[in-house]
Amino acid sequence: MKLSRLTAVLSAAAMIVSSYIAPNTAAFAANARVGISAAELSEDTGLVTVLEDRFDNNDVSGYEVYAPTESQNAALKAQNGVLVFSEDSGWNPTNGVKKDITSIIKQSGFKSGDKLTVSADITSAWYNNPAKIFIEKNGDKNNQILLAQDGFDGEEFKTDTVTGANTVTFGDSDTLCLCITQPCGTHNYDNIVLTYGEEAPLPTEEPIAAEFKISEPALDEDGAFVTATNTTETDKTVKIHNAKYDGDVLQSVTSSDLTVTAGTRNQRIAVVGAALDTMFVWDGMKPLTKKTTLEQQTWIAGWGSAQQEYQSGDLPKTKLAGSVIRQVVRMSAGGDKMRITLSNAYGNGDIVIGAVHLAKPLGGGAVDTATDTVVTFGGKGIVTIPKGQRVTSDIINYSAEDLEEIMMSIRVDKAPTRITGHSGARATTYIKSGASVSDAAMDGAETNEHWYFASEIDVLKPNDYAAVACLG
């Protein structure tokens, strides 16, 4: 049974616009999303209340200036999807906004003494002082519960995601206001989210079958290597044989032991070898790989997409967290060894990826399960991508020809409110809540033509591999 969880999205829209920066209003004209009532939400969503999630130019969604005085000339407006506060007199410790959330809290199932968590994107024109987010009871400035205090220690006009949590106690007759202050005379607010209750634990690593496998030796800029997986309970030791030839004449053979520790997955292991060496991997009297003559190779981009921040109109209706995204990419250059790069360049929080698989597409979201291949990151199927960062996988032994399509299935365990990807996929993407990355089909999935989080696939190719770029 899922624990109760409140999410009150008190504003949204994925773009922060400073009042000092010329806005592009046309881009946001059609991006407002209608609020969802509690009655429309299923128990599985874990949501109790969602307010109108975008400020428009005529609605500040119940917010007001936090502490107006006769000496202040503070103004509050909604502009391009964000809430804008401005104060002509400049610096004041009480600059900010507030909103009465009494009914939101008391009607949601939140109980006095529960922990309330807050997150808000705040842009400030000045950075010397942190922002404060707090609950004020009964309009009494001496009766405040601090939720978060952070940000603005770097540069002006920088957006900081301010987060924090605290227990909130109240009586039946108490009023509760959510308040945000920052001393600067100009700041904006976006993606203000309240949650309560303990988060459900993140899914664990996928079940791992016991297997031992080792790749054919290869040679790149960092030297000769093999990749090995040993998910059995014991270490495995194999022999690496290296034969050197002068033309067709064998000059020497050297052998060395290679131990692959238990629990290893897709680990790159250096071996001794040079270009034109012939190498074999044996397990006792049994060959594990075919004879391989090393060729100097290099990593190139086999596929890539320009990353962008999605506007709200491009986001799927299906919640990404808890869903599988299955998306098709067409390789410009194929290969037998690949590395996958996922991006959270524009995210305002961490992404937790629970699993990534590659397989050959069969059409309509279906895949050839015989080609299903696990992608790992540092030997793990689960990886966290911090906001503003990207991650590259281990070397994956998966074969694709030049111009061949690959189906990439990504299980998203946690996603920020700002999503990174590429909207012009020109290929169908499938998104399904509760699906598995190994599912043969994605019946009932939401579809669109966007890529999510997928940034690049590198492939290992011979040094003399070349491509022609045509422009115009």
Side-chain angles (χ1 to χ4, degrees):
M1 179 177 178
K2 290 188 177 181
L3 294 172
S4 180
R5 188 172 188 266
L6 159 70
T7 298
V9 180
L10 304 178
S11 67
M15 185 174 183
I16 298 290
V17 181
S18 168
S19 60
Y20 290 124
I21 300 175
N24 180 0
T25 57
F28 295 89
N31 286 343
R33 291 189 292 171
V34 177
I36 305 171
S37 69
E40 295 175 294
L41 299 172
S42 70
E43 182 179 352
D44 287 343
T45 64
L47 302 177
V48 178
T49 303
V50 178
L51 301 183
E52 172 63 44
D53 72 347
R54 179 184 184 272
F55 293 110
D56 63 32
N57 289 329
N58 299 309
D59 179 20
V60 295
S61 298
Y63 285 87
E64 56 185 286
V65 174
Y66 170 64
T69 66
E70 292 183 0
S71 63
Q72 283 186 309
N73 185 20
L76 193 62
K77 64 179 179 179
Q79 179 177 323
N80 303 310
V82 299
L83 187 63
V84 180
F85 172 90
S86 60
E87 163 56 52
D88 290 347
S89 301
W91 193 93
N92 190 304
T94 62
N95 283 343
V97 298
K98 66 179 180 181
K99 179 184 178 72
D100 189 329
I101 60 170
T102 306
S103 61
I104 295 172
I105 293 294
K106 293 184 177 181
Q107 293 175 17
S108 70
F110 185 95
K111 297 180 178 60
S112 179
D114 284 350
K115 184 171 74 172
L116 187 66
T117 300
V118 66
S119 175
D121 293 343
I122 305 173
T123 304
S124 175
W126 188 246
Y127 55 85
N128 268 353
N129 299 93
K132 291 174 58 178
I133 306 177
F134 54 93
I135 298 294
E136 188 171 276
K137 294 198 287 188
N138 303 316
D140 182 357
K141 292 180 174 50
N142 295 314
N143 193 357
Q144 298 176 349
I145 302 170
L146 181 65
L147 299 177
Q149 181 169 309
D150 199 7
F152 310 108
D153 56 0
E155 56 185 286
E156 60 187 25
F157 295 122
K158 178 178 178 290
T159 300
D160 277 339
T161 300
V162 180
T163 62
N166 205 345
T167 55
V168 176
T169 58
F170 54 86
D172 291 342
S173 61
D174 286 339
T175 60
L176 306 170
C177 280
L178 176 70
C179 307
I180 308 175
T181 61
Q182 206 271 343
C184 173
T186 301
H187 31 89
N188 302 338
Y189 310 95
D190 193 17
N191 298 313
I192 306 169
V193 180
L194 295 175
T195 61
Y196 84 87
E198 297 297 327
E199 294 282 354
L202 292 174
T204 57
E205 189 90 27
E206 292 182 296
I208 302 172
E211 62 178 345
F212 175 69
K213 59 185 180 181
I214 195 162
S215 71
E216 297 171 6
L219 179 65
D220 67 4
E221 302 94 325
D222 294 324
F225 67 94
V226 295
T227 59
T229 293
N230 178 15
T231 51
T232 70
E233 295 181 353
T234 58
D235 296 349
K236 299 286 187 180
T237 299
V238 296
K239 286 284 188 183
I240 304 288
H241 302 292
N242 186 337
K244 294 183 179 292
Y245 288 84
D246 182 3
D248 294 331
V249 179
L250 177 64
Q251 298 296 305
S252 65
V253 177
T254 57
S255 300
S256 59
D257 289 340
L258 176 68
T259 298
V260 183
T261 57
T264 294
R265 297 177 72 192
N266 289 329
Q267 182 181 354
R268 176 184 175 132
I269 303 175
V271 297
V272 177
L276 303 181
D277 287 358
T278 299
M279 302 189 72
F280 309 79
V281 182
W282 283 64
D283 182 6
M285 299 300 294
K286 179 179 67 176
L288 293 179
T289 67
K290 65 182 181 181
K291 179 176 69 174
T292 303
T293 300
L294 292 182
E295 179 181 11
Q296 186 65 56
Q297 295 180 292
T298 189
W299 291 96
I300 69 168
W303 172 87
S305 67
Q307 300 300 284
Q308 64 188 83
E309 179 185 339
Y310 276 114
Q311 298 177 14
S312 58
D314 288 327
L315 295 175
K317 295 178 182 178
T318 303
K319 186 180 178 183
L320 292 181
S323 296
V324 167
I325 306 169
R326 182 167 282 180
Q327 45 204 357
V328 179
V329 300
R330 186 170 185 256
M331 300 296 292
S332 295
D336 297 324
K337 297 184 186 299
M338 302 184 177
R339 298 185 304 204
I340 314 300
T341 297
L342 303 178
S343 177
N344 189 20
Y346 297 98
N348 59 338
D350 294 351
I351 301 172
V352 179
I353 301 296
V356 181
H357 282 208
L358 301 181
K360 293 186 183 297
L362 297 177
V367 296
D368 179 357
T369 56
T371 65
D372 188 37
T373 302
V374 177
V375 177
T376 58
F377 301 81
K380 303 291 184 182
I382 292 178
V383 64
T384 297
I385 313 174
K387 65 178 182 179
Q389 303 297 315
R390 61 183 205 161
V391 297
T392 298
S393 73
D394 301 323
I395 297 172
I396 307 304
N397 295 295
Y398 181 91
S399 296
E401 301 293 331
D402 292 356
L403 305 182
E404 185 176 346
E405 290 184 340
I406 296 177
M407 187 73 87
M408 182 189 304
S409 298
I410 300 174
R411 189 187 86 201
V412 182
D413 290 348
K414 178 182 178 182
T417 55
R418 294 185 178 181
I419 302 301
T420 300
H422 185 82
S423 60
R426 295 174 178 82
T428 303
T429 289
Y430 304 83
I431 305 171
K432 186 175 181 180
S433 178
S436 167
V437 287
S438 295
D439 285 346
M442 291 280 279
D443 295 340
E446 178 183 350
T447 61
N448 59 39
E449 292 189 356
H450 306 320
W451 286 313
Y452 299 92
F453 311 126
S455 175
E456 189 172 319
I457 300 179
D458 294 334
V459 294
L460 192 60
K461 301 290 278 188
N463 275 1
D464 58 0
Y465 181 85
V468 176
C470 298
L471 304 177

